[in-house]
Amino acid sequence: MTVITRFAPSPTGLVHVGSHRTALYNYIFTRQQGGKFILRVEDTDQNRYVEGAIENLLLSLEKLGIDYDAGPGKEDENGPYFQSKRNDIYKKEVQKLLDARYAYRCFCSMEMLEAARKEQIEKHIPTGYNGKCRNIPQEESDKRAETEDFVIRLKTPQEGVCAFHDIVRGDVQISWSQVDDQVLVKSDGFPTYHLANVVDDHYMDVTHIIRGEEWLPSVPKHLFLYDCFGWEPPRMVHLPLLLNADKSKLSKRQGDVAVEDYLKKGYVPEALNNFLALLGWNPGGKNEIYSMEELITAFDINKINKAGAVFDVQKLNWMNGQYIKNMDTAKYLKEARKWLGNTKVNESKLDTALMAVKTSLTTFQDIPDKLVVFTEDPVIPGEEAKEMLALDSTRTVFTSYVEKVSTLDILTVDSFKTVMKAIQTETGVKGKLLWMPVRIGLTGEMHGPELGYIAEYLGKNENLRRIQNN
Ligand code: GLU
């Protein structure tokens, strides 16, 4: 069996990190299985459509390197891949349901539905459609349809339980009493998500539905639809929720939730993918850094967790720093140059300065702040730094530093290293006692970018000036 999956977002705004996690799991699993990965745009709800959302979705997938085999711009015989262009298909299918009495027309107005709902709340009975139009005789229904507005509802079973298997959740049972007579076609003639989703998954030959846990309660309606049509349903894979640090559902109020927010702040696409791929599954062991190829090899669909996964920004920050640190030099410099802000570092020394800050970035957005040490005189150090400067060993190190740097023609990352080694051999001072005073002398800071690059950037004379100032 060829695995066929789909990512089926509704274009209702920026791409949520949870939605991207869904795309990733579909992508990783499909690439591992050598299958076909479909992008289907679920845009039947005209009221929820947000201008530019489709463009944003496509761009976001492209930036994050998630390519699909069929979808917008990659049409094949199973397309079109925009639900808004498939209404004829849904109309034909829903007619089959009406003919077989698995679905019925409902003429209840919004006001009637609202009133019925109020009554249910007052009587403390579960809310949901009260079944008023369920048994209208066919002739009457046909006649009323000529003059009245109606929706089409699914006649779901009213008793017993719907039992099914989900690869993540195991055996699931949902009582039919909890399942409403779902609207399949709205009064504007457009299908709801439920109808369009089932019809498309069938005609697109989808074998595995991988999506967020919030869709689990909809499975009975979908399975009933498959039954009514006489179709084989795909396998179900419902991914665990993403949570805030306090275990509440991941929300905007507690931080950024759009993929774009993270890209705008200078997060590395590969790091975002790596981080999100491990929210809900991990290969075990200590390693947390995985390239896409490694994720594809290691992924195990049977080992996805049921429990919600905490979106830990600290961890993402750490991971992003690792990606920047290990990034190939040419790629890093090209990207870093997009994030210079108002830096005053001059062009001829820019690469050196950028290399110096490479290991101390969390995101690319940090670059302008980190570059300040190159263009401004060190500020008077704080107490702890002052104490360090006052040590005898520091005096010895500084004297030796000045002596050795004075003899150089030019100061480079390499000659700086040689100087530091020679000071260590000569004075016996090493580690923090050796490195930190030099850093403080040159930058005023106790921590920061790689010292060799700073020394090279400042040049011989400025090195001597700054150290001798102390
Ligand atoms: N359009 C739905 C969404 O945006 C898709 C759910 C599904 O994958 O079935 O979440």
Side-chain angles (χ1 to χ4, degrees):
M1 176 186 71
T2 306
V3 163
I4 301 183
T5 61
R6 84 308 193 267
F7 172 46
S10 304
T12 52
L14 297 178
V15 180
H16 191 280
V17 285
S19 187
H20 185 69
R21 197 262 319 247
T22 299
L24 261 177
Y25 275 56
N26 275 287
Y27 175 81
I28 291 172
F29 175 63
T30 316
R31 291 289 171 264
Q32 179 187 66
Q33 301 294 315
K36 173 182 175 183
F37 174 49
I38 295 170
L39 172 64
R40 181 174 75 225
V41 180
E42 302 212 322
D43 57 349
T44 54
D45 194 344
Q46 307 290 324
N47 300 325
R48 290 180 66 213
Y49 176 72
V50 173
E51 189 70 33
I54 293 175
E55 292 73 10
N56 182 271
L57 165 73
L58 298 178
L59 196 65
S60 165
L61 287 174
E62 190 187 318
K63 282 187 186 160
L64 289 160
I66 306 299
D67 59 326
Y68 46 90
D69 306 309
K74 284 192 183 169
E75 296 294 337
D76 63 7
E77 67 286 357
N78 286 342
Y81 289 99
F82 287 93
Q83 288 190 329
S84 56
K85 295 186 181 156
R86 299 173 64 83
N87 212 16
D88 288 348
I89 304 174
Y90 310 131
K91 278 199 171 128
K92 219 166 82 197
E93 294 305 324
V94 86
Q95 192 55 48
K96 288 186 198 162
L97 296 176
L98 284 170
D99 292 346
R101 310 282 186 267
Y102 287 127
Y104 61 93
R105 294 192 192 96
C106 167
F107 299 94
C108 295
S109 65
M110 288 302 257
E111 293 73 31
M112 285 164 74
L113 293 173
E114 198 38 52
R117 200 181 130 80
K118 259 196 188 146
E119 201 183 315
Q120 286 165 338
I121 293 173
E122 273 161 22
K123 288 187 179 158
H124 302 289
I125 51 176
T127 54
Y129 183 58
N130 61 10
K132 190 166 184 294
C133 298
R134 240 182 174 238
N135 298 311
I136 297 179
Q138 195 58 40
E139 258 176 56
E140 184 187 331
S141 172
D142 291 347
K143 196 149 192 349
R144 286 177 67 178
E146 287 168 16
T147 53
E148 288 180 46
D149 278 349
F150 61 87
V151 299
I152 299 175
R153 287 184 186 272
L154 182 63
K155 211 176 208 172
T156 41
Q158 292 179 305
E159 281 165 9
V161 290
C162 173
F164 60 93
H165 185 79
D166 182 275
I167 291 182
V168 179
R169 319 284 322 172
D171 290 326
V172 181
Q173 293 202 347
I174 296 177
S175 155
W176 283 114
S177 63
Q178 290 173 25
V179 184
D180 218 355
D181 274 3
Q182 178 62 48
V183 174
L184 300 176
V185 178
K186 293 170 288 180
S187 56
D188 62 7
F190 279 99
T192 56
Y193 152 76
H194 303 278
L195 175 69
N197 190 271
V198 166
V199 168
D200 287 349
D201 283 346
H202 172 70
Y203 284 111
M204 293 176 185
D205 303 321
V206 169
T207 60
H208 292 73
I209 292 178
I210 305 175
R211 64 184 167 197
E213 188 181 293
E214 64 274 21
W215 295 105
L216 196 69
S218 296
V219 173
K221 294 170 196 174
H222 298 180
L223 290 179
F224 184 61
L225 276 169
Y226 280 99
D227 251 7
C228 297
F229 283 122
W231 297 336
E232 182 74 23
R235 312 279 311 264
M236 299 287 169
V237 187
H238 285 86
L239 305 175
L241 290 177
L242 296 190
L243 308 175
N244 294 308
D246 66 1
K247 301 280 166 82
S248 57
K249 196 173 165 204
L250 188 65
S251 69
K252 225 178 187 162
R253 257 169 290 130
Q254 301 203 18
D256 291 320
V257 291
V259 167
E260 192 169 288
D261 294 332
Y262 288 95
L263 293 176
K264 267 195 195 145
K265 286 188 173 169
Y267 284 84
V268 178
E270 290 84 352
L272 264 177
N273 280 339
N274 187 159
F275 173 72
L276 289 171
L278 301 186
L279 292 183
W281 161 83
N282 74 70
K286 286 221 170 79
N287 184 24
E288 306 210 71
I289 304 289
Y290 290 89
S291 66
M292 187 55 85
E293 290 69 35
E294 289 166 337
L295 289 170
I296 291 170
T297 308
F299 186 68
D300 185 346
I301 199 168
N302 295 308
K303 297 223 170 107
I304 298 174
N305 303 324
K306 271 204 244 331
V310 173
F311 188 96
D312 178 355
V313 181
Q314 303 294 343
K315 184 153 169 201
L316 170 60
N317 286 344
W318 167 80
M319 206 175 257
N320 203 63
Q322 296 296 309
Y323 270 85
I324 296 181
K325 202 166 160 178
N326 297 325
M327 197 176 273
D328 153 85
T329 304
K331 183 173 171 194
Y332 165 75
L333 288 175
K334 189 167 169 226
E335 183 61 27
R337 279 172 172 268
K338 298 178 194 157
W339 296 87
L340 297 176
N342 294 327
T343 184
K344 296 191 197 83
V345 172
N346 74 43
E347 175 60 36
S348 64
K349 291 182 166 185
L350 189 55
D351 284 355
T352 311
L354 289 173
M355 285 311 288
V357 300
K358 188 172 186 257
T359 54
S360 62
L361 299 175
T362 299
T363 77
F364 279 106
Q365 200 181 31
D366 299 340
I367 285 180
D369 277 355
K370 296 277 183 196
L371 290 180
V372 168
V373 293
F374 296 97
T375 52
E376 271 158 43
D377 255 1
V379 270
I380 315 286
E383 272 319 303
E384 209 182 330
K386 265 191 196 144
E387 276 168 28
M388 188 138 235
L389 287 180
L391 294 175
D392 285 347
S393 59
T394 298
R395 295 294 113 204
T396 320
V397 167
F398 280 6
T399 310
S400 179
Y401 188 83
V402 170
E403 240 172 61
K404 296 196 163 40
V405 171
S406 305
T407 64
L408 297 173
D409 289 333
I410 53 162
L411 191 54
T412 62
V413 175
D414 287 339
S415 59
F416 173 78
K417 258 190 213 147
T418 315
V419 165
M420 294 301 278
K421 243 195 203 137
I423 300 174
Q424 183 179 325
T425 316
E426 184 185 294
T427 64
V429 183
K430 57 184 180 189
K432 192 173 156 188
L433 286 178
L434 168 64
W435 289 85
M436 208 179 256
V438 176
R439 177 182 293 283
I440 298 169
L442 293 178
T443 69
E445 308 276 346
M446 297 179 68
H447 306 279
E450 253 183 72
L451 210 46
Y453 288 104
I454 297 182
E456 176 176 316
Y457 178 89
L458 295 173
K460 176 178 163 180
N461 292 337
E462 182 64 11
N463 265 264
L464 293 173
R465 190 182 74 81
R466 289 193 181 187
I467 292 292
Q468 280 167 330
N469 266 349
N470 287 285

